[in-house]
Amino acid sequence: MHRLRMGLLVCLVLALAGCGRWWPRLDRSPRTPATAVEAAPAASSAALAAAVPADEPLDLVIADGLLYDGTGADPRRADVGIRGDRVVEVGDLSDRASLRLVNAGGLAVAPGFINMLSWATESLIADGRGLSDVAQGVTLEVFGEGWSMGPLNEAMKADALKAQSDFNFPIEWTSLGEYLDWLVARGISPNIASFVGATTVRIHELGEANRAPDAAELARMQALVDAAMREGALGVGASLIYAPAFFAKTDELTALAKRAAAHDGGYIAHMRSEAGRLLEALDEHIGIARDSGGRAEVYHLKAAGERNWPKMQEAIAKIEAARAAGIEVSANMYAYTAGATGLDAAMPPWVKEGGTDAWVKRLREPAVRKRVLAEMRAPDDSWESLYREAASPDRVLLIGFNKPALKPLTGKTLAEVAKSRGTSPEDTIIDLVVEDESRVDTIYFLMSEDNVELGIRQPWVSFGSDAEASAPEGVFLKRSTHPRAYGNVARVLGHYSRDRGIITLQDAVRRLTGLPAENWRLKDRGCLDPGCFADIVVFDAAAIRDHATFVKPQQLATGVHHVWVNGEQVFRDGTHTGAKPGRVVRGPGWCGWSEGGCERATP
């Protein structure tokens, strides 16, 4: 109340000088929606602090918090002062006037968390709150694992519209930048960023053909990467176990990564193998970083399949050696022993050439089906079979179908469905894909708990859910999901940091904030210094906990009290406020960061 009275007094004294511009904030009325364009770079911390006169009230003070600032430093007691969308003061603000005071009461105060692998591209269209992530303190969703929402051509738009299932939406954009702006204009709570998909630019020029691009096609693919980087993409993302990405050779990927590196972007990939050829795939990945002159990150670092579990330590040693040699290589991961993808990951890539329609049509041909069955039952390491790595149909969980007739199978194991149908597991996989005319969302149990903990211990590993940001209601109840969609961040902070002691809390916060922000050159994000954007989470380190399970995944995490995005509160006392202040966070190649703007020459 002291700060509020001081703020009112200052406003009365200075009313004629325009102090009334702060008055509407007193009733917590909604702010003007943020534009889709990232604000200009902040002034220096000292200049910004000096620009806020001590006799003018701050918009908000978060008082008496235990600050985890995103650097990995030990926490400290301090207050955080916010004006507009920025942090402007940090320290003892007990005598500082503010229009609103939130007493953190010794709870942890940290920069908003960054989800380095998000599939909220469509879930945020259905529900812009992003509740499952915001409830964990996530303030930035990063898209682009192989597929991105642009650039699109008319054929790609038609295919995407046809593939829509549980909810439908118009595709009113063409480029990646247009999609990001379009999503923000609809209203979203978290910020968003994206890589441009190597798969997407390949489909744009080659369709889903199994061949290399010619020189002209590759040049056009590179031009698409250039354009996306100028629109603010963080780099190029690949996902190489899936067709048609599987058809891309190393030189093609390096050529695209070079274009991203020219804009200070990087290369990030679901590698060609996470199982039998994990180490060879990692060599390719590191080589692309070296030859492109840029940095690289491994999506969801793991060793899949029990026979491959010993390779996790070898993979980490390879990354450490590359880093020691000056190659900027990092990784991200989710904190679970199972992954989620589709039944396409149980079939050889050649059968999927041409897209879903061509895939399903081939599977209806007896000769093709016979060949696919043989390769599913005796796969080799030339392609990644997650069905083989799971080792048993009991370890394959079916979580999402398009066709209403198949939705009752949601939550059943492949073994259960095969038994009920009286067919082999391999035949059942093919039948389900043909009947649903989709990849069928699937969970595969693949990893060891020891390796999950080993990955979490690595100081260069950040975290990504590899899932949508949804809510336990409405359209999202039409299919199941992986518990990582509701619990990945809370599981890192609670189970692995607090309960297991695998990493300190300050390091866990660093890996969720400052580390990914530094890796991907995210201006003024992942920090709490004056000048940083006011993306802030207040949570109870003693109570934060994930509740989602593989049997009941749609359960919100608990322990987060408050979340602000760009200075506006989206989560208050454990409840979403309905506010949607999310913006596009642009990468270092965005033409808006340079004096020459979009007219500067292509590198």
Side-chain angles (χ1 to χ4, degrees):
M1 290 301 295
H2 171 66
R3 290 189 173 98
L4 183 57
R5 291 193 189 100
M6 287 187 66
L8 291 170
L9 179 60
V10 171
C11 283
L12 290 172
V13 172
L14 300 178
L16 293 177
C19 185
R21 66 185 180 274
W22 293 299
W23 189 272
R25 304 277 179 85
L26 293 175
D27 64 1
R28 299 179 181 174
S29 60
R31 300 182 183 181
T32 303
T35 65
V37 178
E38 179 73 293
S44 70
S45 299
L48 186 57
V52 184
D55 60 350
E56 292 186 358
L58 299 169
D59 291 339
L60 168 68
V61 168
I62 302 171
D64 195 27
L66 191 60
L67 264 61
Y68 292 80
D69 63 8
T71 67
D74 289 340
R76 68 187 191 279
R77 288 271 182 168
D79 307 328
V80 179
I82 297 166
R83 166 70 53 77
D85 62 0
R86 302 271 184 165
V87 173
V88 292
E89 296 183 35
V90 177
D92 182 0
L93 305 181
S94 56
D95 293 327
R96 195 71 165 86
S98 64
L99 301 183
R100 185 174 175 224
L101 170 67
V102 172
N103 192 326
L107 295 177
V109 177
F113 302 134
I114 298 172
N115 182 356
M116 267 307 301
L117 175 46
S118 170
W119 280 107
T121 47
E122 295 185 7
S123 63
L124 284 174
I125 299 174
D127 183 346
R129 294 176 301 166
L131 182 59
S132 62
D133 267 354
V134 166
Q136 299 179 77
V138 171
T139 60
L140 174 58
E141 307 277 359
V142 182
F143 311 142
E145 186 200 359
W147 285 266
S148 56
M149 298 297 274
L152 305 177
N153 56 33
E154 291 308 310
M156 296 167 75
K157 290 183 184 182
D159 287 344
L161 287 169
K162 183 179 178 181
Q164 291 178 5
S165 174
D166 291 335
F167 64 92
N168 301 98
F169 52 90
I171 298 179
E172 300 174 331
W173 66 88
T174 297
S175 72
L176 177 59
E178 288 169 350
Y179 161 76
L180 296 171
D181 289 342
W182 179 87
L183 188 56
V184 166
R186 286 177 65 91
I188 54 174
S189 296
N191 296 313
I192 54 174
S194 186
F195 294 88
V196 60
T199 307
T200 301
V201 300
R202 179 175 235 274
I203 294 173
H204 194 283
E205 295 304 314
L206 305 182
E208 302 205 27
N210 181 5
R211 66 176 179 85
D214 62 29
E217 289 165 336
L218 183 58
R220 291 197 297 270
M221 291 165 65
Q222 290 178 300
L224 291 172
V225 171
D226 281 326
M229 294 301 297
R230 289 194 295 269
E231 292 167 355
L234 306 186
V236 172
S239 190
L240 299 177
I241 73 165
Y242 306 106
F246 177 86
F247 307 139
K249 305 302 182 188
T250 306
D251 58 349
E252 176 185 325
L253 298 167
T254 302
L256 300 182
K258 282 182 178 178
R259 305 312 291 174
H263 299 269
D264 197 23
Y267 173 73
I268 186 168
H270 179 144
M271 297 187 300
R272 209 173 292 277
S273 174
E274 297 173 333
R277 294 184 60 81
L278 169 61
L279 302 179
E280 293 85 347
L282 187 53
D283 286 339
E284 178 189 43
H285 188 80
I286 293 169
I288 290 171
R290 181 189 62 240
D291 296 343
S292 69
R295 57 194 174 279
E297 182 156 309
V298 176
Y299 274 130
H300 36 63
L301 178 66
K302 66 169 78 76
E306 186 171 359
R307 69 191 180 107
N308 301 305
W309 289 350
K311 296 177 182 176
M312 183 70 164
Q313 185 64 67
E314 295 177 77
I316 289 170
K318 278 184 176 289
I319 293 174
E320 293 278 13
R323 291 169 61 86
I327 303 173
E328 193 174 343
V329 183
S330 56
N332 61 64
M333 64 181 292
Y334 47 81
Y336 296 84
T337 57
T341 177
L343 291 179
D344 54 335
M347 295 191 203
W350 63 263
V351 76
K352 292 167 275 184
E353 181 181 1
T356 300
D357 288 347
W359 175 29
V360 171
K361 182 179 179 180
R362 286 193 192 97
L363 291 176
R364 290 191 172 113
E365 299 175 12
V368 172
R369 182 184 181 111
K370 182 178 179 180
R371 178 184 169 188
V372 170
L373 283 169
E375 293 187 23
M376 290 173 66
R377 287 167 174 155
D380 58 50
D381 284 335
S382 66
W383 63 280
E384 194 101 310
S385 171
L386 297 191
Y387 171 62
R388 174 175 72 167
E389 303 306 340
S392 168
D394 290 308
R395 294 174 60 79
V396 179
L397 187 66
L398 306 171
I399 61 170
F401 296 90
N402 287 347
K403 300 293 178 66
L406 294 174
K407 286 186 180 293
L409 301 180
T410 301
K412 295 183 180 298
T413 67
L414 177 61
E416 290 172 324
V417 175
K419 182 178 180 181
S420 69
R421 290 181 166 217
T423 54
S424 73
E426 296 84 1
D427 280 299
T428 304
I429 288 171
I430 294 176
D431 290 342
L432 291 175
V433 168
V434 170
E435 291 169 33
D436 204 50
E437 298 180 308
S438 84
R439 69 201 291 255
V440 181
D441 295 341
T442 309
I443 288 174
Y444 298 89
F445 291 84
L446 301 165
M447 287 78 76
S448 74
E449 180 62 27
D450 286 346
N451 276 349
V452 170
E453 294 188 359
L454 179 61
I456 290 173
R457 292 180 191 277
Q458 306 313 308
W460 34 263
V461 168
S462 56
F463 300 98
S465 69
D466 198 5
E468 70 283 359
S470 57
E473 60 190 54
V475 68
F476 300 113
L477 298 182
K478 292 185 177 183
R479 60 182 62 216
S480 188
T481 189
H482 190 298
R484 65 194 183 190
Y486 284 79
N488 192 55
V489 169
R491 189 166 179 79
V492 169
L493 296 172
H495 177 71
Y496 285 107
S497 176
R498 179 193 62 232
D499 300 339
R500 296 281 298 134
I502 301 303
I503 50 175
T504 65
L505 183 57
Q506 55 264 43
D507 194 40
V509 170
R510 178 185 71 87
R511 309 256 226 93
L512 286 160
T513 58
L515 176 63
E518 179 183 0
N519 285 346
W520 298 104
R521 317 304 195 246
L522 306 180
K523 287 180 178 290
D524 304 324
R525 304 286 178 180
C527 53
L528 277 181
D529 296 325
C532 295
F533 283 100
D535 300 335
I536 300 173
V537 55
V538 176
F539 67 97
D540 186 343
I544 192 166
R545 189 173 306 279
D546 63 301
H547 301 282
T549 66
F550 289 101
V551 175
K552 295 182 65 177
Q554 293 164 316
Q555 301 185 78
L556 295 172
T558 55
V560 168
H561 289 234
H562 305 289
V563 181
W564 288 265
V565 175
N566 301 313
E568 187 164 350
Q569 192 159 12
V570 298
F571 204 67
R572 179 186 299 121
D573 296 324
T575 301
H576 201 289
T577 67
K580 296 177 180 178
R583 300 178 184 172
V584 181
V585 174
R586 313 283 182 180
W590 181 44
C591 54
W593 295 131
S594 71
E595 293 182 2
C598 292
E599 300 304 316
R600 67 180 178 166
T602 297

